[in-house]
Amino acid sequence: FVIAAALLVLAVIACLVVVIASESILGVTHNGLGFLVASSWDPVQLVFGALPFIYGTVLTSVTALVLSTLIGVGVALFVVELAPAWLARPVGFMVEMLAAIPSVVYGLWGIFVLAPWLRDHVEAPLHAPLGWLPFFSGTPIGIDVFTAIIVLTIMVLPTVAAVSRDVVAVVPSYQREAALALGATRWEMIRSGVLPYARSGSLGDAILGLARGVGETMAITMVIGNDPKISASLFSPGYSIAAVLANEFVEATTPTYISALIELGLVLFCLTIVLNGLARLLILATSRRGESQA
């Protein structure tokens, strides 16, 4: 039974690959390998290029992952190591509650509350002195890549914080006691006794956050601007693979158009595997470095 349960997971993944690959054959034949590097997306002329969507997906998900990991580990350290019991439990509970909010609610909040606030209080002040830099050029409008990154960071944060908290909590107490006995301050104890021990687990929870960030659809669709262009500016609209699938799949009327969209889904599937594989390699390298140092 246990073996069958494990094989069932592999069978589901294999079925997904077979179905998506078979349905995208027409698109692969029509577009060729240029599909991955072309920037033009014109369904009327049957011209399809996935590069703007790949760029938007990688930019938003990876940046949100870095931010959520930094914040999530900080929340975990505060809850486990610093906060008193009467404060740690409510903080941990409220962070986990963020995971229960539907993504469409995040999207509505991002459109009507977060985007105007970021435009007036963050993007405009950053653009004024730093507008000459590519990252902060353009006109701050609120519905852009920057807002999508912030919304996605908030959505990924509960997963990263919850797992990081569990990882930090299982660090053996003798690690802390040994550091304190040697005269270390509380922060030195956390830096030398807790963080190295929890490093691999923290990177592992980042993989879980990455899995949600890459495939997030509704909230990102509502705040990213949905403009298939590649721009270095965070204040310009962008597009993601999940967003274009949600926006255009119903409108697809020709077999080639439908197959091109399914091919985008295949690219998203492969992109998820590649990013998770790179994250696994990073965890393995970090674990080996920690063992060699020990």
Side-chain angles (χ1 to χ4, degrees):
F1 175 78
V2 174
I3 294 175
L7 293 177
L8 179 62
V9 177
L10 298 179
V12 171
I13 296 176
C15 289
L16 286 173
V17 173
V18 169
V19 172
I20 296 176
S22 61
E23 294 294 330
S24 62
I25 290 178
L26 180 60
V28 173
T29 305
H30 179 270
N31 301 314
L33 293 178
F35 180 75
L36 299 176
V37 296
S39 301
S40 178
W41 184 266
D42 188 357
V44 176
Q45 303 296 328
L46 297 181
V47 176
F48 304 102
L51 188 58
F53 311 118
I54 297 174
Y55 173 79
T57 300
V58 173
L59 177 62
T60 55
S61 59
V62 173
T63 307
L65 176 66
V66 173
L67 295 176
S68 62
T69 300
L70 294 175
I71 299 173
V73 172
V75 171
L77 291 175
F78 174 77
V79 170
V80 177
E81 301 291 341
L82 302 176
W86 63 268
L87 181 60
R89 293 177 181 176
V91 171
F93 175 76
M94 293 304 296
V95 171
E96 292 177 356
M97 278 293 294
L98 293 174
I101 301 175
S103 60
V104 68
V105 176
Y106 277 111
L108 292 173
W109 173 72
I111 289 177
F112 296 110
V113 179
L114 184 63
W117 188 87
L118 289 176
R119 179 192 61 206
D120 298 334
H121 297 89
V122 178
E123 294 183 2
L126 285 175
H127 175 72
L130 301 175
W132 56 276
L133 294 174
F135 295 122
F136 304 110
S137 60
T139 303
I141 58 176
I143 304 299
D144 48 32
V145 173
F146 184 79
T147 301
I149 290 173
I150 300 301
V151 171
L152 193 56
T153 299
I154 297 173
M155 297 181 68
V156 174
L157 177 61
T159 301
V160 177
V163 180
S164 295
R165 182 190 60 187
D166 295 338
V167 170
V168 173
V170 299
V171 174
S173 58
Y174 61 77
Q175 293 281 118
R176 303 175 176 86
E177 295 170 357
L180 294 174
L182 292 173
T185 63
R186 175 173 289 187
W187 167 242
E188 290 173 338
M189 176 269 293
I190 293 174
R191 185 182 63 188
S192 61
V194 176
L195 286 178
Y197 195 94
R199 184 184 302 156
S200 297
S202 297
L203 291 175
D205 66 57
I207 293 180
L208 297 177
L210 179 64
R212 178 170 188 181
V214 171
E216 179 54 43
T217 304
M218 288 308 301
I220 302 304
T221 303
M222 299 170 74
V223 300
I224 198 172
N226 300 327
D227 187 9
K229 293 181 180 178
I230 298 177
S231 175
S233 175
L234 298 176
F235 299 156
S236 63
Y239 225 153
S240 68
I241 296 177
V244 70
L245 291 176
N247 283 333
E248 300 189 14
F249 204 89
V250 178
E251 301 175 358
T253 55
T254 64
T256 304
Y257 190 4
I258 296 174
S259 184
L261 291 173
I262 298 176
E263 187 180 1
L264 274 178
L266 181 62
V267 171
L268 179 60
F269 187 83
C270 296
L271 185 63
T272 304
I273 294 176
V274 170
L275 292 178
N276 278 272
L278 292 176
R280 288 291 181 184
L281 291 176
L282 178 61
I283 292 176
L284 182 61
T286 303
S287 300
R288 290 179 175 177
R289 189 184 305 116
E291 292 176 357
S292 63
Q293 291 176 353

